[in-house]
Short mmCIF file of all heavy atoms in Angstrom, two decimals:
data_model
loop_
_atom_site.label_atom_id
_atom_site.label_comp_id
_atom_site.label_asym_id
_atom_site.label_seq_id
_atom_site.Cartn_x
_atom_site.Cartn_y
_atom_site.Cartn_z
N LEU A 940 196.48 56.43 -66.46
CA LEU A 940 197.32 55.28 -66.10
C LEU A 940 198.40 55.68 -65.10
O LEU A 940 199.48 55.09 -65.06
CB LEU A 940 197.94 54.66 -67.36
CG LEU A 940 196.94 53.94 -68.26
CD1 LEU A 940 197.55 53.67 -69.64
CD2 LEU A 940 196.46 52.63 -67.63
N SER A 965 201.04 54.51 -77.23
CA SER A 965 202.36 53.91 -77.11
C SER A 965 202.28 52.53 -76.46
O SER A 965 203.27 51.83 -76.37
CB SER A 965 203.29 54.82 -76.31
OG SER A 965 202.73 55.06 -75.03
N HIS A 966 201.08 52.15 -76.03
CA HIS A 966 200.83 50.80 -75.50
C HIS A 966 199.32 50.55 -75.54
O HIS A 966 198.54 51.45 -75.85
CB HIS A 966 201.42 50.63 -74.09
CG HIS A 966 201.00 51.68 -73.08
ND1 HIS A 966 201.35 51.62 -71.77
CD2 HIS A 966 200.24 52.81 -73.20
CE1 HIS A 966 200.84 52.67 -71.12
NE2 HIS A 966 200.18 53.38 -71.96
N THR A 967 198.91 49.31 -75.25
CA THR A 967 197.48 49.00 -75.25
C THR A 967 196.84 49.22 -73.89
O THR A 967 195.63 49.04 -73.73
CB THR A 967 197.22 47.54 -75.71
OG1 THR A 967 198.18 46.69 -75.09
CG2 THR A 967 197.33 47.40 -77.22
N SER A 968 197.64 49.66 -72.91
CA SER A 968 197.08 49.86 -71.56
C SER A 968 195.92 50.86 -71.49
O SER A 968 195.05 50.71 -70.63
CB SER A 968 198.20 50.26 -70.60
OG SER A 968 199.16 49.21 -70.52
N PRO A 969 195.86 51.90 -72.37
CA PRO A 969 194.67 52.77 -72.30
C PRO A 969 193.35 52.01 -72.43
O PRO A 969 192.32 52.48 -71.93
CB PRO A 969 194.86 53.76 -73.47
CG PRO A 969 196.13 53.40 -74.16
CD PRO A 969 196.87 52.44 -73.32
N GLN A 971 192.59 49.43 -70.89
CA GLN A 971 192.19 49.12 -69.50
C GLN A 971 191.19 50.15 -68.99
O GLN A 971 190.12 49.82 -68.48
CB GLN A 971 193.40 49.15 -68.56
CG GLN A 971 194.40 48.03 -68.71
CD GLN A 971 195.47 48.11 -67.61
OE1 GLN A 971 195.20 48.57 -66.49
NE2 GLN A 971 196.68 47.68 -67.92
N VAL A 990 200.50 49.35 -81.53
CA VAL A 990 200.97 50.49 -80.74
C VAL A 990 202.17 51.11 -81.46
O VAL A 990 202.75 50.49 -82.34
CB VAL A 990 201.35 50.05 -79.30
CG1 VAL A 990 200.18 49.36 -78.62
CG2 VAL A 990 202.57 49.17 -79.30
N ARG A 992 205.69 53.79 -81.31
CA ARG A 992 206.72 54.51 -80.54
C ARG A 992 207.77 55.05 -81.48
O ARG A 992 208.01 54.47 -82.55
CB ARG A 992 207.39 53.56 -79.54
CG ARG A 992 206.45 53.13 -78.45
CD ARG A 992 207.10 52.24 -77.43
NE ARG A 992 206.06 51.65 -76.60
CZ ARG A 992 206.28 50.73 -75.67
NH1 ARG A 992 207.50 50.30 -75.44
NH2 ARG A 992 205.27 50.25 -74.97
N PHE A 1004 204.13 48.16 -83.63
CA PHE A 1004 204.12 46.73 -83.30
C PHE A 1004 202.85 46.37 -82.55
O PHE A 1004 202.13 47.24 -82.06
CB PHE A 1004 205.38 46.34 -82.50
CG PHE A 1004 205.55 47.07 -81.18
CD1 PHE A 1004 205.18 46.46 -79.98
CD2 PHE A 1004 206.07 48.35 -81.14
CE1 PHE A 1004 205.35 47.12 -78.76
CE2 PHE A 1004 206.24 49.02 -79.93
CZ PHE A 1004 205.88 48.40 -78.73
N GLN A 1006 200.60 44.67 -79.56
CA GLN A 1006 200.62 44.31 -78.15
C GLN A 1006 199.34 43.57 -77.81
O GLN A 1006 198.34 43.66 -78.52
CB GLN A 1006 200.70 45.56 -77.25
CG GLN A 1006 202.11 46.04 -76.99
CD GLN A 1006 202.19 47.02 -75.82
OE1 GLN A 1006 201.19 47.62 -75.42
NE2 GLN A 1006 203.39 47.19 -75.29
N LEU A 1007 199.41 42.83 -76.72
CA LEU A 1007 198.22 42.15 -76.22
C LEU A 1007 198.12 42.47 -74.74
O LEU A 1007 198.99 42.11 -73.95
CB LEU A 1007 198.35 40.64 -76.44
CG LEU A 1007 197.15 39.80 -76.04
CD1 LEU A 1007 195.93 40.14 -76.88
CD2 LEU A 1007 197.47 38.32 -76.16
N GLU A 1008 197.06 43.20 -74.40
CA GLU A 1008 196.85 43.64 -73.03
C GLU A 1008 195.84 42.73 -72.35
O GLU A 1008 194.88 42.31 -72.97
CB GLU A 1008 196.26 45.07 -73.08
CG GLU A 1008 196.17 45.78 -71.77
CD GLU A 1008 197.49 46.48 -71.44
OE1 GLU A 1008 198.38 46.53 -72.32
OE2 GLU A 1008 197.61 46.99 -70.30
N GLY A 1009 196.07 42.43 -71.09
CA GLY A 1009 195.08 41.66 -70.33
C GLY A 1009 194.69 42.44 -69.08
O GLY A 1009 195.51 43.15 -68.51
N PHE A 1045 208.98 47.98 -62.60
CA PHE A 1045 208.15 49.15 -62.32
C PHE A 1045 207.32 49.54 -63.53
O PHE A 1045 207.83 49.65 -64.65
CB PHE A 1045 209.00 50.36 -61.91
CG PHE A 1045 208.17 51.59 -61.73
CD1 PHE A 1045 207.44 51.79 -60.56
CD2 PHE A 1045 208.06 52.53 -62.75
CE1 PHE A 1045 206.63 52.91 -60.40
CE2 PHE A 1045 207.25 53.65 -62.61
CZ PHE A 1045 206.54 53.84 -61.42
N PHE A 1046 206.03 49.73 -63.32
CA PHE A 1046 205.15 50.42 -64.27
C PHE A 1046 204.31 51.37 -63.43
O PHE A 1046 203.89 51.02 -62.32
CB PHE A 1046 204.25 49.43 -65.01
CG PHE A 1046 205.00 48.43 -65.84
CD1 PHE A 1046 205.18 47.13 -65.38
CD2 PHE A 1046 205.54 48.78 -67.07
CE1 PHE A 1046 205.88 46.21 -66.13
CE2 PHE A 1046 206.25 47.86 -67.83
CZ PHE A 1046 206.42 46.56 -67.36
N PHE A 1048 201.33 52.17 -63.64
CA PHE A 1048 199.92 51.79 -63.51
C PHE A 1048 199.72 50.44 -62.83
O PHE A 1048 198.60 49.95 -62.75
CB PHE A 1048 199.25 51.80 -64.89
CG PHE A 1048 200.17 51.32 -66.00
CD1 PHE A 1048 200.20 49.99 -66.35
CD2 PHE A 1048 201.01 52.21 -66.66
CE1 PHE A 1048 201.06 49.54 -67.35
CE2 PHE A 1048 201.87 51.78 -67.66
CZ PHE A 1048 201.90 50.44 -68.01
N THR A 1049 200.80 49.80 -62.37
CA THR A 1049 200.65 48.57 -61.58
C THR A 1049 201.53 48.68 -60.34
O THR A 1049 202.58 49.31 -60.34
CB THR A 1049 201.08 47.32 -62.39
OG1 THR A 1049 202.34 47.56 -63.01
CG2 THR A 1049 200.04 46.95 -63.44
N SER A 1052 204.77 45.59 -59.54
CA SER A 1052 204.94 45.30 -60.97
C SER A 1052 206.01 44.24 -61.15
O SER A 1052 206.89 44.10 -60.30
CB SER A 1052 205.38 46.56 -61.72
OG SER A 1052 204.45 47.61 -61.54
N ALA A 1053 205.91 43.54 -62.26
CA ALA A 1053 206.89 42.48 -62.52
C ALA A 1053 207.14 42.33 -64.01
O ALA A 1053 206.28 42.67 -64.83
CB ALA A 1053 206.38 41.16 -61.96
N GLU A 1054 208.33 41.85 -64.33
CA GLU A 1054 208.61 41.32 -65.66
C GLU A 1054 208.43 39.82 -65.55
O GLU A 1054 208.90 39.21 -64.59
CB GLU A 1054 210.05 41.61 -66.10
CG GLU A 1054 210.39 43.08 -66.24
CD GLU A 1054 209.76 43.74 -67.46
OE1 GLU A 1054 209.28 43.01 -68.35
OE2 GLU A 1054 209.74 44.98 -67.49
N MET A 1068 206.60 39.38 -70.92
CA MET A 1068 205.60 40.42 -70.66
C MET A 1068 205.87 41.22 -69.40
O MET A 1068 206.67 40.83 -68.55
CB MET A 1068 204.19 39.81 -70.58
CG MET A 1068 203.96 38.87 -69.41
SD MET A 1068 202.21 38.37 -69.37
CE MET A 1068 202.36 36.64 -69.71
N GLY A 1069 205.18 42.35 -69.32
CA GLY A 1069 205.11 43.11 -68.09
C GLY A 1069 203.77 42.84 -67.44
O GLY A 1069 202.78 42.58 -68.13
N ALA A 1070 203.73 42.89 -66.11
CA ALA A 1070 202.47 42.58 -65.42
C ALA A 1070 202.48 43.21 -64.04
O ALA A 1070 203.50 43.72 -63.57
CB ALA A 1070 202.29 41.07 -65.31
N GLY A 1071 201.34 43.16 -63.38
CA GLY A 1071 201.29 43.64 -62.01
C GLY A 1071 199.85 43.80 -61.54
O GLY A 1071 198.90 43.56 -62.30
N MET A 1072 199.70 44.17 -60.25
CA MET A 1072 198.37 44.45 -59.72
C MET A 1072 197.99 45.87 -60.13
O MET A 1072 198.80 46.80 -60.03
CB MET A 1072 198.38 44.34 -58.19
CG MET A 1072 198.77 42.96 -57.68
SD MET A 1072 197.77 41.60 -58.38
CE MET A 1072 196.18 41.89 -57.60
N PHE A 1091 194.40 42.71 -61.71
CA PHE A 1091 195.76 42.62 -62.27
C PHE A 1091 195.72 42.90 -63.76
O PHE A 1091 194.65 42.82 -64.39
CB PHE A 1091 196.42 41.28 -61.96
CG PHE A 1091 195.76 40.05 -62.55
CD1 PHE A 1091 196.00 39.68 -63.88
CD2 PHE A 1091 194.95 39.23 -61.76
CE1 PHE A 1091 195.43 38.54 -64.41
CE2 PHE A 1091 194.37 38.08 -62.30
CZ PHE A 1091 194.61 37.73 -63.62
N ALA A 1092 196.88 43.26 -64.29
CA ALA A 1092 196.99 43.56 -65.73
C ALA A 1092 198.31 43.02 -66.23
O ALA A 1092 199.25 42.82 -65.45
CB ALA A 1092 196.90 45.06 -65.96
N PHE A 1093 198.35 42.75 -67.52
CA PHE A 1093 199.62 42.32 -68.13
C PHE A 1093 199.63 42.78 -69.58
O PHE A 1093 198.56 43.04 -70.17
CB PHE A 1093 199.79 40.79 -68.04
CG PHE A 1093 198.62 40.00 -68.55
CD1 PHE A 1093 198.54 39.65 -69.90
CD2 PHE A 1093 197.59 39.60 -67.70
CE1 PHE A 1093 197.46 38.91 -70.37
CE2 PHE A 1093 196.51 38.86 -68.18
CZ PHE A 1093 196.44 38.52 -69.51
N GLY A 1094 200.82 42.90 -70.12
CA GLY A 1094 200.95 43.33 -71.52
C GLY A 1094 202.09 42.59 -72.17
O GLY A 1094 203.18 42.51 -71.60
N MET A 1095 201.83 42.00 -73.33
CA MET A 1095 202.90 41.28 -74.01
C MET A 1095 202.98 41.65 -75.48
O MET A 1095 202.04 42.24 -76.04
CB MET A 1095 202.73 39.77 -73.84
CG MET A 1095 201.40 39.20 -74.22
SD MET A 1095 201.39 37.42 -73.81
CE MET A 1095 199.87 37.28 -72.89
N1 LIG B 1210 202.01 48.78 -71.02
C1 LIG B 1210 203.25 48.15 -70.64
C2 LIG B 1210 204.27 48.34 -71.76
O1 LIG B 1210 203.89 48.72 -72.86
C3 LIG B 1210 203.09 46.68 -70.40
C4 LIG B 1210 202.21 46.38 -69.20
C5 LIG B 1210 200.86 46.20 -69.35
C6 LIG B 1210 202.76 46.29 -67.93
C7 LIG B 1210 200.05 45.92 -68.26
C8 LIG B 1210 201.99 46.00 -66.83
C9 LIG B 1210 200.64 45.81 -67.01
O2 LIG B 1210 205.44 48.12 -71.60
#
Side-chain angles (χ1 to χ4, degrees):
L940 290 166
S965 58
H966 53 176
T967 43
S968 298
Q971 289 186 31
V990 303
R992 292 182 192 175
F1004 60 100
Q1006 273 195 341
L1007 183 64
E1008 189 86 8
F1045 175 80
F1046 298 102
F1048 36 91
T1049 49
S1052 303
E1054 297 288 345
M1068 65 174 115
M1072 300 306 290
F1091 63 81
F1093 52 88
M1095 53 184 130

